[in-house]
Amino acid sequence: MDDDHNKTLAWKGWAEAERKFVLEMQHPFSALAVSGKKTIETRAYPLPDALLNFKIGIMQTEKGQDGISALPSTFPLQETTKVRRIGWVTFNKCIEYKSRKEFESDAEKHLVDPNSGYGWNDERPMFGWVIHTFQKEDAKNEEGSIAVRRMRSLFEIVTA
């Protein structure tokens, strides 16, 4: 059975140019990414290959619990202070960190506190999505737009 909220890396929809995707990121990391101060975004899963060099909106949420999404799998986008699009990035490379040493050697790029829930953990894989281009902007939500989770923190923006 196909789950609209849990697509795989092989999902053909990633490669469809007319689709609009956004990445959920907590403040302050979201603002650091669209300002160029954070040059690697870390995740416990790889970026789908089809999204390399693809403009991905940054959907900022307030600081919450490490590793726990603050958002439901589907929700209407409204002008709100809780969730807002603050710009976009493109990623041109996805690297897999094989060791704590590799991960921590990029600390000035990913800005992850090693003692946080986002720090290195021997029990899970760790990937770095290298930010290539970025733009800070106050993106307005299109009337009737809905965010639909497609994989983990990646959402698609659809118009109802």
Side-chain angles (χ1 to χ4, degrees):
M1 185 167 139
D2 189 30
D3 180 353
D4 280 344
H5 308 302
N6 192 21
K7 299 298 185 187
T8 68
L9 293 171
W11 179 50
K12 291 183 178 10
W14 299 124
E16 295 173 6
E18 69 278 2
R19 293 181 184 261
K20 296 179 187 175
F21 294 103
V22 295
L23 177 66
E24 174 189 3
M25 290 181 74
Q26 291 184 3
H27 180 77
F29 295 109
S30 51
L32 294 168
V34 299
S35 71
K37 293 178 182 159
K38 178 179 176 70
T39 59
I40 295 178
E41 171 59 9
T42 59
R43 297 286 162 158
Y45 54 95
L47 179 71
D49 287 343
L51 295 183
L52 287 170
N53 300 304
F54 189 90
K55 190 185 286 188
I56 300 171
I58 299 300
M59 190 164 51
Q60 179 175 276
T61 59
E62 295 303 313
K63 173 74 175 123
Q65 186 176 350
D66 290 353
I68 305 295
S69 176
L71 302 174
S73 290
T74 302
F75 62 95
L77 288 172
Q78 302 167 357
E79 296 308 317
T80 176
T81 57
K82 184 179 179 191
V83 178
R84 62 190 186 103
R85 289 187 285 165
I86 63 165
W88 56 265
V89 300
T90 62
F91 300 102
N92 68 347
K93 187 177 184 184
C94 181
I95 55 177
E96 182 175 6
Y97 292 107
K98 301 285 189 187
S99 69
R100 177 184 303 273
K101 182 178 178 182
E102 279 183 14
F103 179 77
E104 291 180 355
S105 73
D106 276 347
E108 290 183 9
K109 297 175 184 174
H110 57 62
L111 307 176
V112 174
D113 178 344
N115 298 314
S116 76
Y118 297 114
W120 178 263
N121 181 329
D122 291 327
E123 303 301 314
R124 69 169 188 260
M126 185 66 73
F127 295 87
W129 302 0
V130 180
I131 298 171
H132 179 62
T133 57
F134 55 90
Q135 177 70 49
K136 182 179 179 180
E137 60 187 18
D138 188 17
K140 301 294 182 200
N141 293 320
E142 297 173 25
E143 180 126 359
S145 293
I146 298 170
V148 179
R149 187 184 307 273
R150 294 300 186 204
M151 186 178 81
R152 317 269 307 245
S153 292
L154 285 164
F155 289 77
E156 180 180 3
I157 304 302
V158 297
T159 304

